[in-house]
Amino acid sequence: MTATFLPATEQFIALDEEWSTHNYHPLPVVISHGEGAWVTDVEGRRYLDFLSGYSSLNFGHRHPDLVAAAVEQLGRVTLTSRAFHHDRFGAFCRELAELTGTDLVLAMNSGAEAVESAIKVARKWAYRVKGVPAGEAEIVVAGSNFHGRTTTIVSFSTDDTARDDFGPFTPGFRVVRYGSLDDLRAAVTDRTAAVLLEPVQGEAGVVVPPAGYLRGVRELCDERGVLMIADEIQSGLGRTGELFALDHEGVRADLYTLGKALGGGILPVSAVVGSRDVLGVLRPGEHGSTFGGNPLACAVGRAVVRLLATGEYQRRSRELGAHLHARLGELVGHGVAEVRGRGLWAGVEIAPGGPRGREASEALAGLGVLCKETQDTTLRVAPPLMISREDLDRGIDAIGQVLRTRG
Ligand SMILES: *Cc1c(COP(=O)(O)O)cnc(C)c1O
């Protein structure tokens, strides 16, 4: 048993390496506790969480209201399946619809499931409402998209690592350049059911489209009778300083996919929300999920909706986000090529000659800040929206320490 002589961190990592598939390459930090914006590892070292579970932890680790809602529900009933009604479901749907200004909620679990659900709904809408000939509906998507990992979703990914060896692929998608209305206009036909986009592309490196693009997409969709589907799984629920990233352009989508922060960092909760005209096409038996809309998910989801309804997290994201962008902006020309993003969310593009994203993430972990690269040269910064200004500054200082060059 040589393993027992290894430090705790190495022992845990060795266990993962031996028994888990190798579909991730985590930083060598083994977390055992979390509270607010902080996590603690198995050696007792503390780190600021500057990733927030890819925006799943918008309210921080173990927000007391969310934990209380979960604990209360654990003492009642946790799962019924949708074979029966339960007393938390309707209220969750109503409150989420009211928060988002929509009519109906399709409750699911993971983000990818929400996207799959939106694709199915858009296709059925195309055949039953728009009148597209059977089997010919198309969905237009953007290059460098990230919508999840199922076989259908990777069918329209432009990332070779996500696609290679996983074909044959699902047909019915057209990829256009993100940010180009001309490309989009050329791609839309009478058979187009929907345009599916991230209003800010998270995995691509927190890419914000040109001003007016999202509004232009909406107008084109209206002109051509096409649904606009906004994947707000990462950008939504306060991350950019508004409930939805689309709100920055005053644009409404026909369907929104939600996930990540909807589960409060406690359990997977996702949904498609939208208008009755569109989501109303589903009939019993056509779509579902055993765990979708379960009592525990609904209890936590309602508590998340209550937090967002105060507007407090959106406001914090706007105010602290302005501070984050001002301070990161000072690094441009000094080791940083560009800073993108909105609210408390930034893609920091490391200048040529600087560390790779992975090296920078490892160096930051050494300074007690957990960040993760996205793409090879971009650091994604997404602290919990409840973070204090002092903690935010502490994390930004560390980023400066790792990336800043003289000159
Ligand atoms: C994370 C993410 C997904 C997929 O969510 P999972 O819960 O990982 O399946 C889909 N779309 C966007 C924009 C995401 O950021």
Side-chain angles (χ1 to χ4, degrees):
M1 286 291 285
T2 51
T4 50
F5 297 103
L6 290 170
T9 295
E10 271 87 280
Q11 286 190 44
F12 281 104
I13 291 174
L15 199 59
D16 296 5
E17 289 288 315
E18 185 170 356
W19 294 99
S20 165
T21 56
H22 291 178
N23 54 328
Y24 277 89
H25 181 34
L27 291 181
V29 172
V30 182
I31 295 167
S32 59
H33 291 81
E35 183 172 3
W38 292 86
V39 294
T40 307
D41 76 4
V42 288
E43 323 261 359
R45 284 182 296 240
R46 297 180 77 224
Y47 304 84
L48 264 177
D49 186 348
F50 258 40
L51 181 66
S52 305
Y54 304 100
S55 288
S56 303
L57 290 153
N58 281 1
F59 313 100
H61 292 267
R62 299 191 299 111
H63 187 291
D65 292 8
L66 304 181
V67 170
V71 166
E72 201 260 345
Q73 193 61 42
L74 282 170
R76 289 165 162 264
V77 64
T78 53
L79 187 68
T80 57
S81 85
R82 294 286 305 285
F84 315 110
H85 294 273
H86 68 77
D87 62 358
R88 296 290 186 247
F89 185 62
F92 167 66
C93 293
R94 176 189 174 156
E95 288 158 16
L96 181 60
E98 285 176 350
L99 176 77
T100 57
T102 56
D103 302 328
L104 291 178
V105 170
L106 173 57
M108 303 299 288
N109 309 282
S110 71
E113 257 184 323
V115 173
E116 288 275 348
S117 304
I119 291 168
K120 285 176 69 178
V121 167
R123 284 178 168 182
K124 183 162 187 201
W125 175 88
Y127 301 129
R128 295 305 171 108
V129 179
K130 180 166 173 164
V132 171
E136 292 187 18
E138 285 189 341
I139 293 178
V140 181
V141 299
S144 302
N145 66 71
F146 183 86
H147 297 288
R149 299 296 201 168
T150 64
T151 37
T152 286
I153 292 172
V154 300
S155 295
F156 56 86
S157 171
T158 56
D159 173 357
D160 293 338
T161 308
R163 279 169 59 92
D164 283 355
D165 295 332
F166 299 122
F169 298 113
T170 307
F173 299 94
R174 275 195 197 215
V175 184
V176 297
R177 276 181 308 169
Y178 189 64
S180 165
L181 283 174
D182 289 337
D183 277 26
L184 191 60
R185 201 168 287 114
V188 168
T189 71
D190 293 342
R191 285 157 169 55
T192 307
V195 176
L196 165 63
L197 293 171
E198 299 155 86
V200 174
Q201 289 190 323
E203 300 301 307
V206 196
V207 176
V208 180
Y213 174 66
L214 297 168
R215 172 163 294 281
V217 173
R218 176 72 271 177
E219 286 164 7
L220 181 66
C221 286
D222 286 341
E223 266 166 46
R224 304 297 301 271
V226 168
L227 301 178
M228 180 173 182
I229 307 175
D231 182 347
E232 295 256 15
I233 289 168
Q234 194 165 158
S235 60
L237 307 186
R239 176 50 61 186
T240 65
E242 299 286 347
L243 183 67
F244 292 132
L246 272 192
D247 296 345
H248 291 277
E249 289 203 11
V251 169
R252 300 288 309 171
D254 298 291
L255 296 176
Y256 294 89
T257 55
L258 304 177
K260 292 200 166 100
L262 190 59
I266 294 180
L267 77 173
V269 182
S270 73
V272 185
V273 299
S275 68
R276 191 173 303 277
D277 300 348
V278 183
L279 281 170
V281 299
L282 288 181
R283 292 284 165 265
E286 293 176 350
H287 192 57
S289 155
T290 304
F291 287 87
N294 69 73
L296 186 59
C298 289
V300 172
R302 290 180 73 189
V304 165
V305 167
R306 275 196 293 277
L307 292 180
L308 287 166
T310 66
E312 165 74 9
Y313 293 89
Q314 294 89 315
R315 186 184 60 77
R316 291 189 72 83
S317 177
R318 275 197 299 278
E319 292 174 5
L320 294 174
H323 181 64
L324 171 74
H325 283 277
R327 285 208 56 199
L328 290 177
E330 291 167 7
L331 295 173
V332 174
H334 307 280
V336 168
E338 185 187 32
V339 180
R340 298 178 294 264
R342 262 189 177 138
L344 214 42
W345 195 20
V348 179
E349 197 62 43
I350 302 167
R356 303 283 84 198
R358 173 80 191 186
E359 288 171 66
S361 301
E362 287 174 357
L364 277 167
L367 295 173
V369 177
L370 296 183
C371 236
K372 193 74 164 63
E373 75 279 6
T374 177
Q375 312 305 317
D376 195 32
T377 56
T378 312
L379 274 187
R380 171 178 14 204
V381 178
L385 307 182
M386 45 60 66
I387 194 170
S388 70
R389 197 175 163 110
E390 297 68 50
D391 284 345
L392 181 62
D393 274 325
R394 201 191 290 239
I396 300 168
D397 289 344
I399 293 170
Q401 214 176 311
V402 168
L403 296 184
R404 183 184 279 282
T405 54
R406 274 175 288 278

